[in-house]
Amino acid sequence: MATKVDLSDKSVLLIDSSGNLRSTVKTMLQSMGFGSVTTLSIAPRVLDDIADNDYDIVLLGHNVNDKYSGLQLFEEARYKGLIKPTCSWVLMSSDASQQSVLFAIEIEPDELLTKPFTLDALSRRIQSLCQRRALLEPIERAVERKAFNRAIRLCDTVLRASDPNYQQAQLIKGRLLKDQQRYSEARDVFERCYSDSGGLYSGYQLAECHYHLGDFDIAEKLLTTLIDKHRLLIPAYDLLAKVSEARGDLQQAQQQLRKGASQSPLSIQRQMELGRLSVRANDLSQAEKAYRRCIHLGESSCLDSATPYFKLVNVQRLQVEASQGHERQDRLDDIEKLLERADTRFHRDPQVRVQSQLIRAKVNETLGDADSAQHCYERALAHAESYGLSVDLEQMRAQLLDESTPAMPGPVLQESEPEPTKTKHDPAMSAKVNRIGVRNYLADKPGQAIRYFGLAFDYDPSNARALLNLSQLFLEAARDTPSKRDERMKMFQRYSRLAQRLPLAGDELHKDQQLRKLAELPLEQLPEGPLAALLK
């Protein structure tokens, strides 16, 4: 038996719309020994309290009749990045319907309790959470500080392999590796976990790694096996759809998404994907249903946006092409109403003004009115310039029309010396691509960042910022991957030398000096995390 955790120094936030339940559960928590219990009714302002305080546990009630539900609050907290690795979330739900339970599982609380529950049931769940949290705390503290490579190393050392929670640490390690796009390493971790336990989570994560590595047959076989055993493993349908789309089988991809959406219809992201795939498969009826569902769900979600409105307009535009008479006019009337709703509902978003004109331009093109289409496109450009928006209008237009396809998985970029390319010399494009690399690095995607910095160098070999950014990333990679230390250092030295041949000044000169000074230290002595600020 595990030793009970002392709860006297733990703080709990209890959120529920029922005052009676808050009073009852608060008494339960105090009898369990919690030193601090804060109670609040469900409301959007609760998020401010969560952001301002460090709670150990959040107990969140979900009641089916609440105007602003616990599921909405939890979804918004995750969307705003308020769910800290060191805080446990327990969802207390009175809604036992399949779609609510599945959606609750998808947004991943640490525990799910069905109301009503006993003191014994609550105590057992809380103790189990606290025991696990105490053992894994060093890992989760490192994750909270964004020291991800340290967290990965701790996953192997903080617990003995014989500890029952060791596999949980390994699952965290696999997830961290996957988030860094180190898919081969993550695959090996999840493969061991799945072989040991056959667990759903490890099996699904293993399939996702195979997908990103381009091993579609293995991913499909594994996902099919998981669904055969657990037909309500809804994310598996989403991933199967991605596998089918990567193979070019749009109808099979759409079918898999429809299966997932029919069982768990509350996910806006899933409905958006179903709409996009349905347009690509020319199933406009299904696309219309999916986007209308997104608009309905968005009315009570933090994920509300104008995008499904515009995508639904595009579906109706495509239907106009195949209709005539009263039906054609009815669809045109619906298009105008949708555009007016989007313009009104999201009037504070300057990007919506641009998107609205782009989709209007396409509708006018469909109607054969080239002059009106050109005027709309010019207004879109004027809006973008007046608001100072740095957007690619053609790319935005393609996304609204469901003409763009997501990047397909394949071999992970190897951080080796780039081969000579025939890229056209374009300093402006080089600066733009370098900024994209910075955004990817800040989003914790170092592999993608290296790719973009390398592309920026191809467009303009005299882009000192891109060269210095590449130097930094390879120095960090040398520190964090001992097995490939020598080749990483060679890449660092190569880009550092190229940068030093350029006339450096200001921030560029300071960064070059800073990196060279750091490179003189033993790699083990380099500080964790970013070694310098990236140059934009």
Side-chain angles (χ1 to χ4, degrees):
M1 289 286 291
T3 304
K4 279 194 172 185
V5 175
D6 180 9
L7 304 177
S8 61
D9 62 343
K10 306 292 183 188
S11 61
V12 182
L13 174 60
L14 170 61
I15 312 165
D16 198 275
S17 59
S18 167
N20 288 335
L21 185 133
R22 292 199 302 272
S23 177
T24 301
V25 176
K26 181 177 182 178
T27 301
M28 287 182 177
L29 294 168
Q30 289 173 333
S31 70
M32 290 164 54
F34 278 101
S36 172
V37 181
T38 303
T39 63
L40 293 172
S41 184
I42 290 181
R45 65 178 181 277
V46 169
L47 294 170
D48 295 331
D49 186 86
I50 293 170
D52 293 339
N53 293 282
D54 289 323
Y55 293 107
D56 296 296
I57 296 173
V58 173
L59 281 167
L60 174 60
H62 170 71
N63 304 302
V64 68
N65 294 321
D66 288 345
K67 185 176 181 181
Y68 182 71
S69 73
L71 285 178
Q72 289 172 249
L73 189 148
F74 190 24
E75 182 184 43
E76 190 166 353
R78 188 173 292 286
Y79 176 74
K80 292 183 175 180
L82 301 179
I83 304 216
K84 301 173 183 176
T86 50
C87 177
S88 299
W89 284 65
V90 179
L91 187 67
M92 309 176 295
S93 179
S94 62
D95 185 357
S97 66
Q98 176 177 301
Q99 66 178 25
S100 290
V101 171
L102 289 175
F103 185 62
I105 291 171
E106 283 191 63
I107 57 178
E108 297 182 342
D110 294 285
E111 286 286 353
L112 180 60
L113 271 173
T114 301
K115 301 176 186 177
F117 47 80
T118 64
L119 172 61
D120 183 58
L122 178 64
S123 180
R124 279 188 284 105
R125 297 289 186 92
I126 294 293
Q127 277 291 331
S128 176
L129 271 177
C130 290
Q131 288 162 4
R132 186 167 70 242
R133 189 71 73 190
L135 291 169
L136 301 176
E137 184 178 10
I139 300 171
E140 288 164 340
R141 290 287 180 197
V143 172
E144 194 167 283
R145 295 196 306 272
K146 300 189 183 303
F148 299 118
N149 290 305
R150 173 173 171 76
I152 289 169
R153 291 194 295 271
L154 286 171
C155 288
D156 289 328
T157 59
V158 77
L159 295 173
R160 295 183 179 182
S162 58
D163 192 290
N165 289 288
Y166 179 76
Q167 186 172 89
Q168 182 64 31
Q170 291 301 296
L171 292 174
I172 295 173
K173 176 183 177 181
R175 189 196 74 231
L176 291 170
L177 289 168
K178 191 189 71 171
D179 290 346
Q180 292 188 1
Q181 298 184 332
R182 294 160 63 178
Y183 297 121
S184 295
E185 296 171 78
R187 175 200 58 199
D188 294 343
V189 173
F190 288 127
E191 205 158 38
R192 289 192 295 271
C193 292
Y194 186 61
S195 176
D196 291 342
S197 68
L200 286 181
Y201 181 83
S202 56
Y204 173 80
Q205 296 292 337
L206 176 58
E208 191 171 4
C209 290
H210 282 299
Y211 163 76
H212 284 293
L213 291 167
D215 301 329
F216 301 137
D217 290 342
I218 299 174
E220 181 181 47
K221 184 177 180 180
L222 181 53
L223 289 167
T224 302
T225 299
L226 291 172
I227 289 174
D228 286 344
K229 293 180 180 178
H230 310 276
R231 70 176 186 85
L232 296 181
L233 183 59
I234 306 302
Y237 295 98
D238 301 341
L239 189 52
L240 267 178
K242 291 182 179 180
V243 170
S244 296
E245 185 177 16
R247 287 173 163 163
D249 191 343
L250 297 180
Q251 290 185 336
Q252 179 67 17
Q254 184 196 22
Q255 182 181 349
Q256 294 296 345
L257 267 183
R258 287 178 67 176
K259 288 180 181 177
S262 67
Q263 297 178 88
S264 181
L266 299 181
S267 167
I268 291 178
Q269 296 98 321
R270 180 171 298 111
Q271 296 289 349
M272 289 291 287
E273 271 296 285
L274 179 56
R276 182 187 65 80
L277 272 174
S278 298
V279 170
R280 291 198 67 205
N282 201 32
D283 185 349
L284 299 183
S285 175
Q286 179 62 63
E288 181 177 0
K289 291 178 184 176
Y291 287 137
R292 287 195 185 280
R293 183 69 173 164
C294 289
I295 290 171
H296 173 70
L297 292 171
E299 292 173 353
S300 57
S301 170
C302 60
L303 302 179
D304 191 22
S305 78
T307 302
Y309 289 84
F310 295 138
K311 287 183 175 284
L312 180 55
V313 166
N314 181 54
V315 172
Q316 300 237 348
R317 177 191 66 82
L318 293 169
Q319 291 169 330
V320 163
E321 292 181 325
S323 60
Q324 54 187 344
H326 291 300
E327 181 184 359
R328 181 184 178 92
Q329 188 56 51
D330 288 345
R331 293 198 181 281
L332 288 172
D333 291 343
D334 286 344
I335 284 174
E336 192 56 39
K337 290 175 184 176
L338 281 166
L339 289 172
E340 289 176 359
R341 283 179 63 191
D343 289 343
T344 301
R345 186 173 177 83
F346 304 98
H347 66 278
R348 295 181 180 177
D349 186 347
Q351 186 163 281
V352 168
R353 294 177 180 271
V354 178
Q355 293 172 319
S356 181
Q357 292 301 324
L358 288 175
I359 199 75
R360 287 177 190 274
K362 187 62 179 179
V363 171
N364 283 309
E365 284 179 21
T366 300
L367 296 175
D369 189 345
D371 288 341
S372 294
Q374 181 62 28
H375 288 321
C376 289
Y377 193 83
E378 289 172 358
R379 282 197 291 270
L381 185 60
H383 283 316
E385 290 176 348
S386 67
Y387 288 109
L389 299 176
S390 178
V391 294
D392 184 329
L393 293 186
E394 287 304 312
Q395 183 181 25
M396 179 183 283
R397 180 174 178 271
Q399 289 173 343
L400 290 174
L401 301 176
D402 284 323
E403 292 175 348
S404 60
T405 57
M408 291 296 107
V412 177
L413 177 74
Q414 297 299 314
E415 297 165 10
S416 57
E417 185 168 347
E419 297 179 0
T421 66
K422 298 180 181 179
T423 307
K424 179 182 177 181
H425 182 71
D426 189 340
M429 181 60 74
S430 177
K432 179 178 179 180
V433 172
N434 180 70
R435 290 194 295 271
I436 296 173
V438 172
R439 289 201 297 269
N440 274 271
Y441 179 83
L442 295 177
D444 198 32
K445 297 178 180 179
Q448 288 286 82
I450 286 178
R451 176 185 174 189
Y452 282 111
F453 292 144
L455 188 58
F457 171 69
D458 290 340
Y459 275 116
D460 181 9
S462 64
N463 187 336
R465 290 172 177 255
L467 288 168
L468 290 167
N469 288 340
L470 280 166
S471 299
Q472 176 179 330
L473 264 65
F474 278 114
L475 183 57
E476 291 176 11
R479 173 198 65 192
D480 298 334
T481 52
S483 62
K484 298 183 179 180
R485 186 159 286 179
D486 290 343
E487 61 186 87
R488 266 41 170 192
M489 284 302 297
K490 287 180 182 177
M491 296 304 297
F492 162 75
Q493 291 160 1
R494 175 181 186 268
Y495 288 115
S496 180
R497 284 196 299 270
L498 288 172
Q500 289 161 31
R501 294 174 188 172
L502 300 173
L504 302 179
D507 290 342
E508 294 167 2
L509 179 61
H510 174 71
K511 177 164 180 172
D512 175 58
Q513 294 171 341
Q514 184 180 9
L515 291 176
R516 281 197 281 167
K517 185 175 181 180
L518 287 168
E520 294 173 358
L521 298 172
L523 291 174
E524 294 81 3
Q525 294 182 17
L526 292 178
E528 292 280 348
L531 295 176
L534 294 193
L535 294 170
K536 299 182 179 181

